[in-house]
Amino acid sequence: MIQLQHIERVFQVGDEEVHALSDVTMSAESGEYIAIMGPSGSGKSSLLNILGLLDRPDGGSYELDGLRVSGLNEKEQARIRRHKIGFVFQFFHLVPRLTAFDNIALPLKLSGMTREERQTRVTAALSAFGLGNRAQHRPDQLSGGQRQRVAIARATIMQPSLILADEPTGNLDRHAGVEVAEILEELNHQGITLIMVTHDPDLGRRAHRRILMVDGRIDHDSSRTRT
Amino acid sequence: MSHIQARDFFRYTINGLRAQRLRSVLTATGIAVGIGAVVLLTSLGTGLHHFVLAEFSQFGTNLIAINPGKVTTHGISGALISNVRPLTIEDGEALGRLPQVLDVVSVVQGNAEVTGGGRQRRTTVYGVGAAAPRVWNIGVATGRFLPDDPPRAARAFAVLGHKVRQELFGSTQALGMRVRIGGETFRVIGSMESKGQLLGFDIDDAVYIPTSKAMALFNQESLMEIDLLHATSSSSAAVAEQIRKVLQSRHNSEDFTITTQEKMLEVLDGVLGTLTIAVGSLGGISLLVGGVGILTIMSIAVNERTGEIGLLRALGVERSQILTLFLGEAVALAAIGGVVGLGLGIGGSRLFSLLVPALPSHTSWGYVIAAELLAILVGLVAGVLPARRAAGLHPVEALRAE
Amino acid sequence: MQLNDILLFSMRAATANRGRTLLMLLAMTIGVGSVVVLISLGDSARRYVIGEFTSLGTNLLIVLPGRSETTGGPPPLLGGTPRDLTLDDAMALSRAATVRRTAPIIAGSAPVSVGNLEREMMVLGSTSELSEIRHLDLAQGSFLPPGDPTRAQAVCVIGMKGRQELFGRQAAVGQWLRIGDRRFRVIGILASSGVSLGEDLGELVIIPVAAAQSLFNTSSLFRILVEATSPEGMEQTRHFILETIRARHQGEDDITVITQDAVLATFDRIFRALTLSVAGIGAISLVVAGIMIMNVMLVAVSNRRAEIGLLKALGASQRQIMGLFLTESAILSLTGAGIGLLLALLGMRLAAFLFPQFPLQLAPWSPVIALAVALFTGVVFGVLPAHRAAVLEPVLALARR
């Protein structure tokens, strides 16, 4: 499903060039559950951004579902993000002035879906994530765990084939963290590919495959050691 | 009680503005456009003011006009309509005997066909006396003006205006030629310099003949106007009073109207001054909007810099100093915008003068300084609310916002 | 994204920060309000003047004695001429098929007295037809009787103000008054007390034209008013007048004929130009308001980087983000314009209430102009911030917290 070949990403910091990613090659099958781990600054977030088409690599190629997406233009990439990829962030990234319902409905709005269709899908998603009675609450009226569940509901509302999660439990207490991890795993169980960036070893251990990043390179990939 | 040094205060303020360069530039631009509009408009207004006053005062401020009939609310001068009690040549002569009066012209105006040099032209005919060039401040180009004949027995001489001379005789000699005006023959004894349009009246398109001849020609019993120049040593009002007495005793009633040039200039001056201020205040609407812009941007700045304010307070800066800091930023924005606006306005009015040389614009420094002070005032007023909010922030809460 | 979703989203975004939104609306309100008020004042002045001219009469031609090759400027006042316009000339003009009526006019100023009350008044000598041509209404009594214009009947019609000053509370109709050294009987009072073209109808005395001729000892007319039967007949009538007078004046073209249309068109042009320039000055404030909208939207873009990044992560294209921000500034400017328009309307209503003698009202096309200009301002000054938002790198936008 995912095919990364010799990905390079260089940032200019002051006079210095920083190689956030250098010669990263990896692949992932549909339905995999991968944790990307590593110390801060190791390039794990950069990798996730490249995978999510939020950032463009300076070199190398990226194929998603057999399509070479690294060469697509901005508009086509936006379409792919909209339909194939769901994002979950450490800081939830909910629009503060919108209710839980409207935050979840946002991707549907962007894709031009009518109000009636949205209504049924968002209502279903709210009850599926145990937020049925929180529909009209704004983010500041929700607990951290509830916020992340809204964010996950939003990430899955377009029924993507890939979920990218950046420290999804990093801003939650232990109990809420476990709850969120379980929800994500349940989604993975239904066949959605789950790629998660974390430096929480407990969370990392739950994944079926672990990729360790050090200094912008893949230092260790559990799937490779197995084969 | 600590005092921030003026220089440090200034640096801090400028630093705050430079940190958000684009934002500051745009805010100042708003003020600049407003001030520019005010300066440009008042410059044009003042230019027009000077222009019109110059047009009028070329007659001299010691000119007084007397018209028959009381000018009433109709707004039509008594000269153009019939009047039961006319103004006569003798009235003019009587006024000429007043000690302060230098020159008198008795005027009749009409419209007639002038034939001469084989051509015809319908033009304005003025019945005047020998003093007309002096009173009206117009010069003779060739020959001489009408002689000082006895008013009731003037000889049939005519002096041509520049345009009539050109139209009838072209480049050929006009002096000594004969012209027919309404059935009577006149000998051309002079022609006038070109004076161009004077407030819409083309005084070049005119022929001057003796008053009595014109009255007979137009079958008029009354003069249209008596114009006189008085000695500059006596005031217009005093002379006007003398005139009133003379005419009142001759007519037994006040059936005439005296207009002094001085009074007219005064009225005109007032009207044009008001006009300039009115147009300037229209431009001031933009300044008001610019002020709202400063208010908005400063409120945003206070919001964004809540943490900084908390820090300053924690470092021992007093409320009043925070107030002054933010007020200073607002005033600096407005003042900088104001200076740029002055440049825009002055430049604009210069450009206008180049493009339309007929209407000179005039940048009056009074307005310029007033505009810059206004800009600073706008900044001060717009800055008060945000600055007060900044000063009123609780240090602990402000720090927490960081 | 569906249109109503865009609108709703932008509306929420625009109203999220209430204080800032109110200030932006205020700026736009001042700008649009002042433009609309200035346009409306100019337009009201134009309609007032045109109305005054139209109330002079319809299909009107004015014949003046004298002619100048260099005519320019509004109504020429030409002074005396060697050959007068006479009552016979006026009567000759009424003989054409395209002429409905004519009214000769002699204007003068004379002392009018009743007992020992005296005041200087404007005296018009004319015929019974003046009343129809000038649409004069009578409050009391009747206008000058029709009949042979050369007969000098000693009757007069006076204006309301003159009536009050000379007769006070006593009945005036049927009473005698003195104009100059002659006696006239009052047979009617003019109803209208307004000012029409500089003539205060309230201070007018109208007497038969023949009586005015002997009062002022003149045979020459001030002007002749001619009413054509139809607007189409105006040009034909004009030719007829010029030819008739030329024939009567030994082949000399010594009159000027002004048609009302020409005068009206001139005034219309002058007032339109004036209105436009005043509105233009007011529009400078709209530019300032536009700059302000741009500024605040730029601030909004930098404050909402995270949100923009999120929208991009959710699959919003550059176009969509641009559209959202443009809609936001358009909503702000349009709302401001709406409020400005409303305030202008109220202001004009108030002015009309305070000065009922002037036809003050909102110019009919000003709402369209105001809204169009406001939308234009909002979009033009919204483009830069919206573009900034659209090209924001999603990674950078999300990274900042």
Side-chain angles (χ1 to χ4, degrees):
Chain A
M1 178 195 189
I2 291 173
Q3 198 71 56
L4 290 184
Q5 300 279 352
H6 312 296
I7 294 292
E8 298 283 338
R9 184 70 178 105
V10 184
F11 290 108
Q12 194 77 31
V13 179
D15 298 338
E16 247 178 288
E17 283 194 341
V18 176
H19 285 257
L21 296 173
S22 42
D23 195 22
V24 172
T25 298
M26 67 161 276
S27 59
E29 296 303 316
S30 187
E32 271 200 85
Y33 177 8
I34 305 171
I36 302 173
M37 305 184 68
S40 39
S42 61
K44 53 189 193 305
S45 284
S46 297
L47 180 59
L48 197 74
N49 287 334
I50 298 280
L51 285 171
L53 294 174
L54 292 177
D55 199 7
R56 284 166 182 270
D58 296 309
S61 75
Y62 174 18
E63 260 180 43
L64 180 65
D65 284 343
L67 185 67
R68 217 187 115 99
V69 290
S70 47
L72 295 178
N73 67 22
E74 198 277 334
K75 199 176 167 182
E76 290 160 333
Q77 289 196 345
R79 246 185 68 82
I80 288 174
R81 285 200 295 271
R82 191 153 70 219
H83 291 286
K84 291 198 169 163
I85 306 172
F87 289 93
V88 178
F89 304 97
Q90 178 179 4
F91 295 104
F92 324 127
H93 278 297
L94 300 177
V95 180
R97 58 176 182 277
L98 298 182
T99 61
F101 185 98
D102 283 332
N103 265 293
I104 296 171
L106 209 48
L108 302 178
K109 286 187 187 175
L110 287 171
S111 69
M113 189 178 281
T114 63
R115 216 181 137 79
E116 293 71 34
E117 277 181 89
R118 269 182 351 229
Q119 187 71 33
T120 45
R121 276 176 77 166
V122 175
T123 311
L126 278 165
S127 55
F129 288 97
L131 294 163
N133 54 352
R134 292 282 181 271
Q136 296 310 314
H137 288 54
R138 272 185 284 113
D140 55 5
Q141 296 163 319
L142 299 172
S143 72
Q146 286 170 332
R147 287 185 211 183
Q148 198 60 303
R149 272 184 280 157
V150 172
I152 295 170
R154 185 178 62 191
T156 53
I157 195 77
M158 293 292 287
Q159 295 165 336
S161 51
L162 171 65
I163 285 185
L164 299 173
D166 190 355
E167 304 277 11
T169 60
N171 213 29
L172 299 173
D173 59 47
R174 192 170 167 72
H175 173 72
V178 170
E179 196 182 80
V180 163
E182 278 167 359
I183 291 174
L184 289 172
E185 281 159 12
E186 170 57 26
L187 290 168
N188 175 245
H189 203 68
Q190 291 165 14
I192 301 177
T193 313
L194 175 62
I195 301 179
M196 185 169 10
V197 162
T198 183
H199 54 232
D200 176 0
D202 289 344
L203 189 58
R205 265 193 291 282
R206 298 171 74 118
H208 306 149
R209 175 178 165 194
R210 280 168 299 280
I211 294 173
L212 180 66
M213 301 280 300
V214 174
D215 289 342
R217 295 171 190 279
I218 295 182
D219 187 70
H220 180 84
D221 188 336
S222 61
S223 70
R224 267 187 221 157
T225 49
R226 242 182 307 168
T227 50
Chain B
M1 174 97 192
S2 65
H3 274 288
I4 308 178
Q5 287 217 332
R7 216 178 63 173
D8 292 336
F9 173 80
F10 185 73
R11 284 231 182 103
Y12 193 89
T13 303
I14 294 300
N15 202 287
L17 296 180
R18 279 175 56 171
Q20 296 284 352
R21 196 164 305 161
L22 179 60
R23 200 187 281 184
S24 303
V25 165
L26 284 174
T27 311
T29 305
I31 293 290
V33 171
I35 290 288
V38 170
V39 170
L40 178 62
L41 291 169
T42 51
S43 292
L44 295 182
T46 316
L48 183 72
H49 191 160
H50 286 212
F51 175 72
V52 172
L53 284 193
E55 284 279 283
F56 269 88
S57 49
Q58 60 177 303
F59 292 119
T61 51
N62 53 341
L63 183 78
I64 296 180
I66 300 111
N67 296 95
K70 197 81 203 141
V71 172
T72 57
T73 43
H74 322 317
I76 299 173
S77 136
L80 290 167
I81 55 179
S82 309
N83 202 282
V84 285
R85 281 186 296 240
L87 210 53
T88 61
I89 293 182
E90 286 72 28
D91 287 333
E93 290 189 304
L95 294 178
R97 286 192 288 272
L98 280 171
Q100 302 91 333
V101 172
L102 303 175
D103 285 303
V104 180
V105 197
S106 301
V107 188
V108 177
Q109 187 208 338
N111 179 268
E113 193 154 77
V114 180
T115 314
R119 295 202 188 84
Q120 292 181 335
R121 181 167 185 84
R122 188 158 268 286
T123 185
T124 308
V125 176
Y126 286 102
V128 292
R134 293 194 292 279
V135 176
W136 290 345
N137 194 20
I138 44 179
V140 178
T142 55
R144 60 199 170 91
F145 201 72
L146 300 174
D148 200 4
D149 284 343
R152 289 285 175 188
R155 286 167 285 170
F157 290 147
V159 176
L160 306 182
H162 181 78
K163 186 162 187 179
V164 175
R165 205 207 84 91
Q166 290 284 322
E167 291 288 328
L168 293 184
F169 296 99
S171 53
T172 64
Q173 180 62 261
L175 290 185
M177 302 300 284
R178 281 168 204 289
V179 291
R180 286 185 67 81
I181 304 172
E184 209 180 327
T185 306
F186 292 82
R187 192 153 67 85
V188 177
I189 58 167
S191 66
M192 307 303 287
E193 283 173 353
S194 172
K195 230 159 161 190
Q197 297 251 328
L198 188 70
L199 295 173
F201 295 102
D202 189 352
I203 59 168
D204 288 345
D205 193 4
V207 173
Y208 303 89
I209 59 173
T211 312
S212 55
K213 294 281 181 197
M215 286 173 86
L217 183 65
F218 299 133
N219 192 20
Q220 295 273 316
E221 281 181 32
S222 172
L223 296 177
M224 212 178 88
E225 186 169 297
I226 299 173
D227 287 341
L228 57 83
L229 276 185
H230 64 81
T232 40
S233 54
S234 42
S235 82
S236 287
V239 178
E241 197 43 48
Q242 298 267 354
I243 294 167
R244 191 184 316 278
K245 273 188 198 139
V246 171
L247 289 180
Q248 209 146 20
S249 70
R250 289 176 62 85
H251 291 200
N252 292 323
S253 75
E254 195 175 325
D255 54 358
F256 50 85
T257 306
I258 301 173
T259 317
T260 68
Q261 188 77 2
E262 205 176 79
K263 189 91 190 162
M264 220 158 105
L265 284 175
E266 235 169 71
V267 172
L268 213 58
D269 195 50
V271 169
L272 290 168
T274 314
L275 193 79
T276 304
I277 291 175
V279 174
S281 2
L282 285 187
I285 298 172
S286 316
L287 205 53
L288 186 65
V289 178
V292 176
I294 291 193
L295 177 58
T296 313
I297 286 304
M298 289 311 293
S299 317
I300 291 174
V302 171
N303 253 348
E304 287 179 351
R305 279 154 64 185
T306 305
E308 177 190 329
I309 295 164
L311 179 72
L312 287 174
R313 296 276 281 130
L315 292 178
V317 176
E318 290 165 27
R319 257 171 217 272
S320 63
Q321 288 172 325
I322 300 268
L323 187 82
T324 341
L325 271 177
F326 278 86
L327 263 187
E329 273 195 42
V331 170
L333 270 177
I336 292 168
V339 169
V340 175
L342 291 184
L344 280 179
I346 294 171
S349 76
R350 290 274 156 80
L351 190 71
F352 190 86
S353 298
L354 278 181
L355 295 179
V356 194
L359 263 188
S361 70
H362 185 273
T363 308
S364 117
W365 287 106
Y367 278 120
V368 166
I369 292 166
E372 179 62 24
L373 288 179
L374 189 61
I376 291 172
L377 185 73
V378 165
L380 210 57
V381 171
V384 164
L385 229 65
R388 278 181 56 133
R389 228 190 52 217
L393 284 173
H394 194 278
V396 177
E397 277 168 30
L399 269 175
R400 198 183 297 152
E402 184 71 318
Chain C
M1 218 169 160
Q2 294 204 326
L3 186 64
N4 58 340
D5 287 330
I6 296 178
L7 288 178
L8 208 68
F9 186 89
S10 303
M11 183 92 82
R12 288 235 184 99
T15 51
N17 192 328
R18 200 163 302 152
R20 184 192 303 171
T21 305
L22 285 180
L23 286 173
M24 278 168 88
L25 290 183
L26 176 64
M28 214 56 204
T29 301
I30 296 172
V32 171
S34 58
V35 168
V36 172
V37 164
L38 290 173
I39 288 181
S40 297
L41 285 180
D43 198 55
S44 296
R46 185 181 64 86
R47 274 184 294 113
Y48 175 70
V49 170
I50 302 288
E52 286 290 294
F53 269 92
T54 317
S55 75
L56 266 183
T58 35
N59 307 336
L60 193 65
L61 294 103
I62 301 162
V63 184
L64 311 172
R67 185 165 68 86
S68 176
E69 251 109 59
T70 48
T71 43
L77 300 165
L78 300 165
T81 44
R83 199 176 282 99
D84 295 331
L85 210 49
T86 63
L87 198 48
D88 288 338
D89 290 334
M91 283 153 74
L93 292 183
S94 56
R95 277 177 220 126
T98 56
V99 172
R100 180 172 288 156
R101 321 174 228 271
T102 60
I105 289 180
I106 291 179
S109 163
V112 178
S113 61
V114 174
N116 46 15
L117 284 173
E118 183 185 289
R119 55 180 283 113
E120 189 87 9
M121 286 173 79
M122 175 97 167
V123 179
L124 278 191
S126 193
T127 59
S128 64
E129 298 191 305
L130 178 70
S131 150
E132 280 109 50
I133 292 179
R134 288 283 310 263
H135 307 306
L136 296 176
D137 289 326
L138 290 179
Q140 244 183 307
S142 55
F143 199 70
L144 301 177
D148 182 4
T150 54
R151 265 192 65 218
Q153 274 184 285
V155 292
C156 69
V157 176
I158 65 173
M160 197 63 99
K161 194 170 166 199
R163 192 214 92 92
Q164 263 155 14
E165 292 191 6
L166 292 171
F167 292 98
R169 295 193 177 165
Q170 290 169 329
V173 174
Q175 300 297 307
W176 290 82
L177 53 70
R178 192 175 272 283
I179 305 175
D181 53 357
R182 283 149 205 273
R183 276 159 55 80
F184 292 85
R185 191 163 58 85
V186 178
I187 57 168
I189 315 285
L190 289 173
S192 165
S193 62
V195 177
S196 166
L197 257 199
E199 287 172 32
D200 191 341
L201 290 177
E203 290 197 70
L204 207 59
V205 183
I206 303 172
I207 59 175
V209 64
Q213 281 181 324
S214 56
L215 176 71
F216 296 119
N217 189 23
T218 175
S219 63
S220 69
L221 299 178
F222 179 53
R223 53 190 58 172
I224 303 173
L225 303 182
V226 178
E227 186 185 324
T229 45
S230 64
E232 298 77 41
M234 298 279 280
E235 197 45 39
Q236 205 183 331
T237 310
R238 190 186 146 87
H239 276 287
F240 166 77
I241 293 169
L242 287 173
E243 266 163 43
T244 310
I245 301 292
R246 191 188 302 138
R248 295 178 53 84
H249 288 192
Q250 286 85 38
E252 253 203 83
D253 262 332
D254 58 359
I255 56 162
T256 303
V257 180
I258 319 173
T259 60
Q260 214 181 343
D261 293 355
V263 179
L264 277 182
T266 308
F267 272 95
D268 202 64
R269 264 206 315 280
I270 293 173
F271 273 94
R272 276 186 199 283
L274 256 169
T275 305
L276 272 183
S277 27
V278 174
I281 295 173
I284 298 173
S285 62
L286 273 178
V287 174
V288 179
I291 293 174
M292 183 181 154
I293 285 190
M294 173 152 89
N295 210 353
V296 174
M297 288 305 293
L298 280 172
V299 172
V301 169
S302 76
N303 283 354
R304 274 155 52 191
R305 292 167 76 106
E307 178 187 327
I308 296 162
L310 169 79
L311 286 174
K312 289 203 157 184
L314 294 181
S317 64
Q318 292 195 355
R319 264 177 90 126
Q320 282 181 320
I321 292 188
M322 182 117 180
L324 284 176
F325 276 84
L326 272 184
T327 310
E328 195 174 325
S329 50
I331 286 176
L332 282 170
S333 58
L334 273 182
T335 312
I339 299 172
L341 203 56
L342 204 68
L343 285 182
L345 179 68
L346 291 178
M348 292 304 285
R349 284 271 165 82
L350 184 70
F353 176 74
L354 294 176
F355 305 101
Q357 62 270 42
F358 296 109
L360 290 167
Q361 53 168 279
L362 215 60
W365 33 274
S366 63
V368 183
I369 290 197
L371 293 180
V373 168
L375 192 61
F376 178 78
T377 311
V379 170
V380 163
F381 288 98
V383 162
L384 180 68
H387 183 254
R388 277 206 163 189
V391 299
L392 216 56
E393 287 292 333
V395 178
L396 296 177
L398 282 170
R400 263 237 216 136
R401 215 354 288 223

